Amino acid sequence: MTIVLTTLFILLIILVIAIRYRLKNAKSSSQLFTAILLLLALIISVYLLGYFKVFQCTPIKDYVVNFKELLQIIILILAVLAFFGASIGFFDKKYTLRIDKFNIGGINVLFDKSSEIYVKTVGTYVSSKRSLFSFNEKRDNIYEVLNAYYDVYNFIRNNLELLDHEKDSDLYKTSVNILKELNKFLTKHQNDYRRWYDKVISDDEFMVSNHEQKAHNTTIEQVQKQYYRYDELLQDIKNLNKYMSEEKIKNMLKINDFIWGEE
């Protein structure tokens, strides 16, 4: 017993010294030091509880057992309520279960309205595609722009099921209109431009004023201008930029004003 008390006394002294050091050096103390401090406090607590035989006391035993049973009942009630609430939301298309990534911490259960998730997800994705709002003739590669437009088309289409075409009618109609505009643009230009561009890059040459030019040895602007429907394609891109920059779309998808002006 003397050894136990002596050990406990030494641990208490160490704990007091450590706490004083932690308080004086709060900013510079590491998380590891804090963890060691908490572990030391836990060890002392175990010593104290064992020494005074706290858990052998009948009232304490009864309290712990009753508290444990009460906690289990509360958890069960909350689980049942959560299940019924989620079920009602899913059947009514009011709430959505979304899994972002299958890794540690990557599975997210989001009990938000489906329309809110749609706006957050689609709005953020659309906002990241600058060429939807502003096309730079000197630096933007039209081939990559077509890829971006196609990706946006698929992304909106795949997430459209989050919306109820009656309850979210305005947002649904606007999204469908965006799909129509993208589809019209891609159908008109995608195949022709890709065939032409792939051929130019494969041959690494094109003709400018009856002179042969190496594609790798000039700017993307000069290469693209040789496309036989370049002016028409450029005008349609600008028209799409203008359409996507309308206030109705920006407000509905909550697209921030910082995107994307002329550079």
Side-chain angles (χ1 to χ4, degrees), residues 179-223:
L179 289 178
K180 289 179 179 178
E181 291 295 324
L182 288 170
N183 181 269
K184 182 173 66 175
F185 177 87
L186 291 170
T187 301
K188 182 177 179 181
H189 294 293
Q190 184 170 221
N191 289 332
D192 287 345
Y193 185 83
R194 288 188 188 281
R195 283 190 297 105
W196 174 84
Y197 185 81
D198 287 340
K199 178 64 175 174
V200 169
I201 296 303
S202 176
D203 294 344
D204 193 27
E205 63 183 22
F206 59 94
M207 300 298 294
V208 179
S209 301
N210 296 324
H211 294 288
E212 185 179 292
Q213 292 268 10
K214 292 295 182 181
H216 77 273
N217 208 28
T218 188
T219 65
I220 189 64
E221 180 187 16
Q222 287 298 319
V223 173

Side-chain angles (χ1 to χ4, degrees), residues 166-256:
E166 293 181 355
K167 294 180 180 179
D168 310 309
S169 58
D170 288 343
L171 183 56
Y172 188 89
K173 289 178 182 177
T174 299
S175 299
V176 169
N177 288 336
I178 293 175
L179 289 178
K180 289 179 179 178
E181 291 295 324
L182 288 170
N183 181 269
K184 182 173 66 175
F185 177 87
L186 291 170
T187 301
K188 182 177 179 181
H189 294 293
Q190 184 170 221
N191 289 332
D192 287 345
Y193 185 83
R194 288 188 188 281
R195 283 190 297 105
W196 174 84
Y197 185 81
D198 287 340
K199 178 64 175 174
V200 169
I201 296 303
S202 176
D203 294 344
D204 193 27
E205 63 183 22
F206 59 94
M207 300 298 294
V208 179
S209 301
N210 296 324
H211 294 288
E212 185 179 292
Q213 292 268 10
K214 292 295 182 181
H216 77 273
N217 208 28
T218 188
T219 65
I220 189 64
E221 180 187 16
Q222 287 298 319
V223 173
Q224 292 174 165
K225 280 186 175 181
Q226 308 314 309
Y227 178 54
Y228 52 88
R229 292 170 58 198
Y230 177 76
D231 291 337
E232 181 183 356
L233 173 57
L234 182 61
Q235 185 58 51
D236 285 346
I237 290 176
K238 291 182 178 180
N239 290 339
L240 186 60
N241 289 165
K242 183 178 179 181
Y243 172 76
M244 291 300 299
S245 298
E246 290 181 1
E247 288 299 320
K248 180 180 179 180
I249 293 178
K250 292 172 64 178
N251 293 335
M252 198 160 287
L253 293 179
K254 296 184 179 179
I255 298 174
N256 295 330

Side-chain angles (χ1 to χ4, degrees), residues 8-20:
L8 180 60
F9 181 72
I10 293 173
L11 288 174
L12 283 171
I13 293 176
I14 295 174
L15 180 61
V16 171
I17 294 174
I19 291 175
R20 290 187 62 184

